[in-house]
Amino acid sequence: MIKDMRIPNHVAIILDGNGRWAKSKGMPRNYGHTKGSKNLEIICEEAYKMGIEYLTVYAFSTENWNRSEDEVSALMKLLRNYMKTALKTAVKNNMKIRILGDISRLDQDLQDSIKNLVQKTAEHTGLKFQIAINYGGRDEIIRGIKHLAKDIKEERLQAEDINEDIFSNYLDTTGLPDPDLLIRTSGEMRLSNFLLWQLAYTEFYFADVHWPDFNKQELEQAIEKYNLRDRRFGGVREEK
Ligand code: IPE
Ligand code: IPE
Ligand code: MG
């Protein structure tokens, strides 16, 4: 890795290509998801070692419910297991875990283990790790607007006072800095409804490899490419 590289403070990743990875090996899609979830643990550790402070990953979208029943139930089973291992890893590595998305659609036991994980890691000071589950950028904005409308109706907020900062507080990401770098694996170049508000000025990087093959070297390469970018915010250069 290049010496004295600028490490992005917040990296967001669209974990894509588990299915294609498995298919290329003649295996069922769910095998790709299992490998993908193992890879997530490895990348979390690597990201933190590199000095990344915030890592946010897209694990299950509001649109992913439309996949086959078999695949959705395999993904939910994997999430269940992941919550258990994540608790151990988070305690070991001092990670603070937060969930983005509407978890009320998940089974009660999964909601309970998510709440437990978030609560048990709330005081941790290491990597801030956000997992987006049943997350959609449009859904997040609509839920935020509903909440905001309620606050106006019940006179906790005046409509004239709404601004970007106040609206941000109604999103799932409240309190988090916007991502500096977004990575999507597997060659697809779209957002698929991820962090629509928060990615306004983020740099994008698209990796050709499928998520289970996205390793430390790939992450370093993404950061190297990020370092070659001349970040601008409305024509104004970023202070280095
Ligand atoms: C990403 O891999 C994981 C989830 C969206 C849950 P995919 O399942 O989208 O794999 P591909 O894109 O079909 O190969
Ligand atoms: C985006 O990937 C969602 C997640 C990675 C969780 P998809 O594979 O679902 O998105 P599309 O269908 O290719 O846009
Ligand atoms: Mg996909």
PDB file of all heavy atoms in Angstrom, residues 15-21 29 33 59-60 64 67 71 75 186 210, ligand 1:
ATOM      1  N   LEU A  15     -22.320  -5.015  -1.039  1.00  0.00           N
ATOM      2  CA  LEU A  15     -21.773  -6.382  -1.152  1.00  0.00           C
ATOM      3  C   LEU A  15     -22.535  -7.107  -2.247  1.00  0.00           C
ATOM      4  O   LEU A  15     -23.619  -7.610  -1.998  1.00  0.00           O
ATOM      5  CB  LEU A  15     -22.011  -7.146   0.152  1.00  0.00           C
ATOM      6  CG  LEU A  15     -21.801  -6.441   1.494  1.00  0.00           C
ATOM      7  CD1 LEU A  15     -22.363  -7.298   2.604  1.00  0.00           C
ATOM      8  CD2 LEU A  15     -20.332  -6.162   1.691  1.00  0.00           C
ATOM      9  N   ASP A  16     -21.996  -7.153  -3.434  1.00  0.00           N
ATOM     10  CA  ASP A  16     -22.762  -7.763  -4.523  1.00  0.00           C
ATOM     11  C   ASP A  16     -21.998  -8.911  -5.170  1.00  0.00           C
ATOM     12  O   ASP A  16     -20.772  -8.938  -5.159  1.00  0.00           O
ATOM     13  CB  ASP A  16     -23.107  -6.679  -5.561  1.00  0.00           C
ATOM     14  CG  ASP A  16     -24.259  -7.091  -6.453  1.00  0.00           C
ATOM     15  OD1 ASP A  16     -24.997  -8.029  -6.101  1.00  0.00           O
ATOM     16  OD2 ASP A  16     -24.428  -6.461  -7.518  1.00  0.00           O
ATOM     17  N   GLY A  17     -22.755  -9.846  -5.732  1.00  0.00           N
ATOM     18  CA  GLY A  17     -22.160 -10.902  -6.558  1.00  0.00           C
ATOM     19  C   GLY A  17     -21.998 -12.248  -5.866  1.00  0.00           C
ATOM     20  O   GLY A  17     -21.344 -13.138  -6.423  1.00  0.00           O
ATOM     21  N   ASN A  18     -22.615 -12.435  -4.710  1.00  0.00           N
ATOM     22  CA  ASN A  18     -22.513 -13.742  -4.038  1.00  0.00           C
ATOM     23  C   ASN A  18     -23.059 -14.861  -4.922  1.00  0.00           C
ATOM     24  O   ASN A  18     -22.472 -15.945  -5.004  1.00  0.00           O
ATOM     25  CB  ASN A  18     -23.325 -13.751  -2.735  1.00  0.00           C
ATOM     26  CG  ASN A  18     -22.696 -12.909  -1.660  1.00  0.00           C
ATOM     27  OD1 ASN A  18     -21.550 -12.504  -1.763  1.00  0.00           O
ATOM     28  ND2 ASN A  18     -23.472 -12.621  -0.612  1.00  0.00           N
ATOM     29  N   GLY A  19     -24.191 -14.575  -5.554  1.00  0.00           N
ATOM     30  CA  GLY A  19     -24.852 -15.575  -6.393  1.00  0.00           C
ATOM     31  C   GLY A  19     -23.986 -15.950  -7.582  1.00  0.00           C
ATOM     32  O   GLY A  19     -23.793 -17.140  -7.877  1.00  0.00           O
ATOM     33  N   ARG A  20     -23.464 -14.929  -8.281  1.00  0.00           N
ATOM     34  CA  ARG A  20     -22.632 -15.186  -9.454  1.00  0.00           C
ATOM     35  C   ARG A  20     -21.340 -15.899  -9.071  1.00  0.00           C
ATOM     36  O   ARG A  20     -20.844 -16.747  -9.785  1.00  0.00           O
ATOM     37  CB  ARG A  20     -22.316 -13.868 -10.169  1.00  0.00           C
ATOM     38  CG  ARG A  20     -23.432 -13.432 -11.092  1.00  0.00           C
ATOM     39  CD  ARG A  20     -23.276 -11.998 -11.501  1.00  0.00           C
ATOM     40  NE  ARG A  20     -23.737 -11.097 -10.446  1.00  0.00           N
ATOM     41  CZ  ARG A  20     -23.640  -9.780 -10.520  1.00  0.00           C
ATOM     42  NH1 ARG A  20     -23.076  -9.220 -11.568  1.00  0.00           N
ATOM     43  NH2 ARG A  20     -24.103  -9.027  -9.529  1.00  0.00           N
ATOM     44  N   TRP A  21     -20.803 -15.550  -7.920  1.00  0.00           N
ATOM     45  CA  TRP A  21     -19.579 -16.208  -7.445  1.00  0.00           C
ATOM     46  C   TRP A  21     -19.827 -17.703  -7.288  1.00  0.00           C
ATOM     47  O   TRP A  21     -19.040 -18.541  -7.754  1.00  0.00           O
ATOM     48  CB  TRP A  21     -19.143 -15.580  -6.108  1.00  0.00           C
ATOM     49  CG  TRP A  21     -17.903 -16.180  -5.540  1.00  0.00           C
ATOM     50  CD1 TRP A  21     -16.620 -15.815  -5.801  1.00  0.00           C
ATOM     51  CD2 TRP A  21     -17.833 -17.265  -4.600  1.00  0.00           C
ATOM     52  NE1 TRP A  21     -15.750 -16.607  -5.091  1.00  0.00           N
ATOM     53  CE2 TRP A  21     -16.464 -17.506  -4.338  1.00  0.00           C
ATOM     54  CE3 TRP A  21     -18.776 -18.056  -3.949  1.00  0.00           C
ATOM     55  CZ2 TRP A  21     -16.033 -18.491  -3.456  1.00  0.00           C
ATOM     56  CZ3 TRP A  21     -18.353 -19.052  -3.080  1.00  0.00           C
ATOM     57  CH2 TRP A  21     -16.983 -19.255  -2.843  1.00  0.00           C
ATOM     58  N   ARG A  29     -26.605 -20.666  -5.114  1.00  0.00           N
ATOM     59  CA  ARG A  29     -26.454 -19.257  -4.706  1.00  0.00           C
ATOM     60  C   ARG A  29     -26.219 -19.107  -3.204  1.00  0.00           C
ATOM     61  O   ARG A  29     -25.425 -18.285  -2.764  1.00  0.00           O
ATOM     62  CB  ARG A  29     -27.718 -18.454  -5.059  1.00  0.00           C
ATOM     63  CG  ARG A  29     -27.953 -18.271  -6.538  1.00  0.00           C
ATOM     64  CD  ARG A  29     -29.245 -17.472  -6.760  1.00  0.00           C
ATOM     65  NE  ARG A  29     -29.187 -16.164  -6.138  1.00  0.00           N
ATOM     66  CZ  ARG A  29     -28.611 -15.095  -6.678  1.00  0.00           C
ATOM     67  NH1 ARG A  29     -28.054 -15.180  -7.869  1.00  0.00           N
ATOM     68  NH2 ARG A  29     -28.601 -13.953  -6.037  1.00  0.00           N
ATOM     69  N   HIS A  33     -23.719 -16.861  -0.456  1.00  0.00           N
ATOM     70  CA  HIS A  33     -24.090 -15.991   0.677  1.00  0.00           C
ATOM     71  C   HIS A  33     -23.315 -16.380   1.939  1.00  0.00           C
ATOM     72  O   HIS A  33     -22.900 -15.525   2.713  1.00  0.00           O
ATOM     73  CB  HIS A  33     -25.596 -16.065   0.940  1.00  0.00           C
ATOM     74  CG  HIS A  33     -26.420 -15.507  -0.193  1.00  0.00           C
ATOM     75  ND1 HIS A  33     -26.101 -14.328  -0.815  1.00  0.00           N
ATOM     76  CD2 HIS A  33     -27.535 -15.964  -0.818  1.00  0.00           C
ATOM     77  CE1 HIS A  33     -26.989 -14.079  -1.780  1.00  0.00           C
ATOM     78  NE2 HIS A  33     -27.862 -15.065  -1.802  1.00  0.00           N
ATOM     79  N   ALA A  59     -26.566  -5.245   3.368  1.00  0.00           N
ATOM     80  CA  ALA A  59     -26.683  -6.702   3.484  1.00  0.00           C
ATOM     81  C   ALA A  59     -27.989  -7.239   2.910  1.00  0.00           C
ATOM     82  O   ALA A  59     -28.034  -8.353   2.390  1.00  0.00           O
ATOM     83  CB  ALA A  59     -26.562  -7.128   4.942  1.00  0.00           C
ATOM     84  N   PHE A  60     -29.075  -6.452   3.030  1.00  0.00           N
ATOM     85  CA  PHE A  60     -30.379  -6.925   2.528  1.00  0.00           C
ATOM     86  C   PHE A  60     -31.244  -5.705   2.228  1.00  0.00           C
ATOM     87  O   PHE A  60     -31.483  -4.878   3.106  1.00  0.00           O
ATOM     88  CB  PHE A  60     -31.045  -7.824   3.592  1.00  0.00           C
ATOM     89  CG  PHE A  60     -32.238  -8.577   3.082  1.00  0.00           C
ATOM     90  CD1 PHE A  60     -32.086  -9.840   2.520  1.00  0.00           C
ATOM     91  CD2 PHE A  60     -33.508  -8.018   3.148  1.00  0.00           C
ATOM     92  CE1 PHE A  60     -33.193 -10.532   2.029  1.00  0.00           C
ATOM     93  CE2 PHE A  60     -34.617  -8.708   2.660  1.00  0.00           C
ATOM     94  CZ  PHE A  60     -34.465  -9.969   2.105  1.00  0.00           C
ATOM     95  N   ASN A  64     -34.985  -6.987  -1.874  1.00  0.00           N
ATOM     96  CA  ASN A  64     -34.525  -8.384  -1.822  1.00  0.00           C
ATOM     97  C   ASN A  64     -35.605  -9.369  -1.343  1.00  0.00           C
ATOM     98  O   ASN A  64     -35.472 -10.576  -1.542  1.00  0.00           O
ATOM     99  CB  ASN A  64     -33.259  -8.526  -0.961  1.00  0.00           C
ATOM    100  CG  ASN A  64     -32.003  -7.967  -1.604  1.00  0.00           C
ATOM    101  OD1 ASN A  64     -31.087  -7.516  -0.933  1.00  0.00           O
ATOM    102  ND2 ASN A  64     -31.938  -7.985  -2.931  1.00  0.00           N
ATOM    103  N   ARG A  67     -36.959 -11.924  -3.900  1.00  0.00           N
ATOM    104  CA  ARG A  67     -36.246 -13.128  -4.355  1.00  0.00           C
ATOM    105  C   ARG A  67     -37.043 -14.366  -3.975  1.00  0.00           C
ATOM    106  O   ARG A  67     -38.033 -14.266  -3.244  1.00  0.00           O
ATOM    107  CB  ARG A  67     -34.858 -13.168  -3.711  1.00  0.00           C
ATOM    108  CG  ARG A  67     -34.017 -11.996  -4.209  1.00  0.00           C
ATOM    109  CD  ARG A  67     -32.585 -12.134  -3.774  1.00  0.00           C
ATOM    110  NE  ARG A  67     -31.800 -11.024  -4.284  1.00  0.00           N
ATOM    111  CZ  ARG A  67     -30.481 -10.999  -4.329  1.00  0.00           C
ATOM    112  NH1 ARG A  67     -29.805 -12.036  -3.880  1.00  0.00           N
ATOM    113  NH2 ARG A  67     -29.847  -9.952  -4.802  1.00  0.00           N
ATOM    114  N   GLU A  71     -34.414 -18.531  -1.135  1.00  0.00           N
ATOM    115  CA  GLU A  71     -33.250 -17.662  -0.955  1.00  0.00           C
ATOM    116  C   GLU A  71     -33.467 -16.685   0.212  1.00  0.00           C
ATOM    117  O   GLU A  71     -32.565 -16.472   1.023  1.00  0.00           O
ATOM    118  CB  GLU A  71     -32.926 -16.895  -2.245  1.00  0.00           C
ATOM    119  CG  GLU A  71     -31.655 -16.078  -2.102  1.00  0.00           C
ATOM    120  CD  GLU A  71     -31.091 -15.567  -3.424  1.00  0.00           C
ATOM    121  OE1 GLU A  71     -31.554 -15.993  -4.494  1.00  0.00           O
ATOM    122  OE2 GLU A  71     -30.174 -14.731  -3.357  1.00  0.00           O
ATOM    123  N   LEU A  75     -31.189 -16.427   3.516  1.00  0.00           N
ATOM    124  CA  LEU A  75     -30.534 -15.171   3.922  1.00  0.00           C
ATOM    125  C   LEU A  75     -30.893 -14.804   5.360  1.00  0.00           C
ATOM    126  O   LEU A  75     -30.047 -14.336   6.131  1.00  0.00           O
ATOM    127  CB  LEU A  75     -30.911 -14.033   2.968  1.00  0.00           C
ATOM    128  CG  LEU A  75     -30.195 -14.051   1.608  1.00  0.00           C
ATOM    129  CD1 LEU A  75     -30.869 -13.123   0.612  1.00  0.00           C
ATOM    130  CD2 LEU A  75     -28.719 -13.677   1.765  1.00  0.00           C
ATOM    131  N   SER A 186     -18.535  -6.694  -7.958  1.00  0.00           N
ATOM    132  CA  SER A 186     -19.224  -7.473  -8.981  1.00  0.00           C
ATOM    133  C   SER A 186     -19.562  -6.715 -10.269  1.00  0.00           C
ATOM    134  O   SER A 186     -20.337  -7.216 -11.073  1.00  0.00           O
ATOM    135  CB  SER A 186     -20.497  -8.080  -8.386  1.00  0.00           C
ATOM    136  OG  SER A 186     -20.655  -9.377  -8.867  1.00  0.00           O
ATOM    137  N   HIS A 210     -16.350 -10.485  -7.443  1.00  0.00           N
ATOM    138  CA  HIS A 210     -17.567 -10.746  -6.670  1.00  0.00           C
ATOM    139  C   HIS A 210     -17.231 -10.613  -5.180  1.00  0.00           C
ATOM    140  O   HIS A 210     -16.081 -10.819  -4.777  1.00  0.00           O
ATOM    141  CB  HIS A 210     -18.083 -12.160  -6.955  1.00  0.00           C
ATOM    142  CG  HIS A 210     -18.421 -12.378  -8.402  1.00  0.00           C
ATOM    143  ND1 HIS A 210     -19.232 -11.522  -9.112  1.00  0.00           N
ATOM    144  CD2 HIS A 210     -18.059 -13.362  -9.270  1.00  0.00           C
ATOM    145  CE1 HIS A 210     -19.350 -11.961 -10.352  1.00  0.00           C
ATOM    146  NE2 HIS A 210     -18.640 -13.077 -10.483  1.00  0.00           N
TER     147      HIS A 210
HETATM  148  C1  IPE B   1     -25.263  -9.896  -2.803  1.00  0.00           C
HETATM  149  O1  IPE B   1     -25.119 -10.918  -3.743  1.00  0.00           O
HETATM  150  C2  IPE B   1     -25.978 -10.329  -1.544  1.00  0.00           C
HETATM  151  C3  IPE B   1     -27.359  -9.824  -1.424  1.00  0.00           C
HETATM  152  C4  IPE B   1     -27.948  -8.965  -2.203  1.00  0.00           C
HETATM  153  C5  IPE B   1     -28.140 -10.342  -0.323  1.00  0.00           C
HETATM  154  P1  IPE B   1     -26.292 -11.274  -4.755  1.00  0.00           P
HETATM  155  O2  IPE B   1     -27.193 -12.249  -4.130  1.00  0.00           O
HETATM  156  O3  IPE B   1     -26.950 -10.029  -5.248  1.00  0.00           O
HETATM  157  O4  IPE B   1     -25.490 -11.971  -5.932  1.00  0.00           O
HETATM  158  P2  IPE B   1     -25.672 -11.723  -7.476  1.00  0.00           P
HETATM  159  O5  IPE B   1     -25.610 -10.246  -7.707  1.00  0.00           O
HETATM  160  O6  IPE B   1     -27.016 -12.275  -7.845  1.00  0.00           O
HETATM  161  O7  IPE B   1     -24.555 -12.450  -8.118  1.00  0.00           O
END
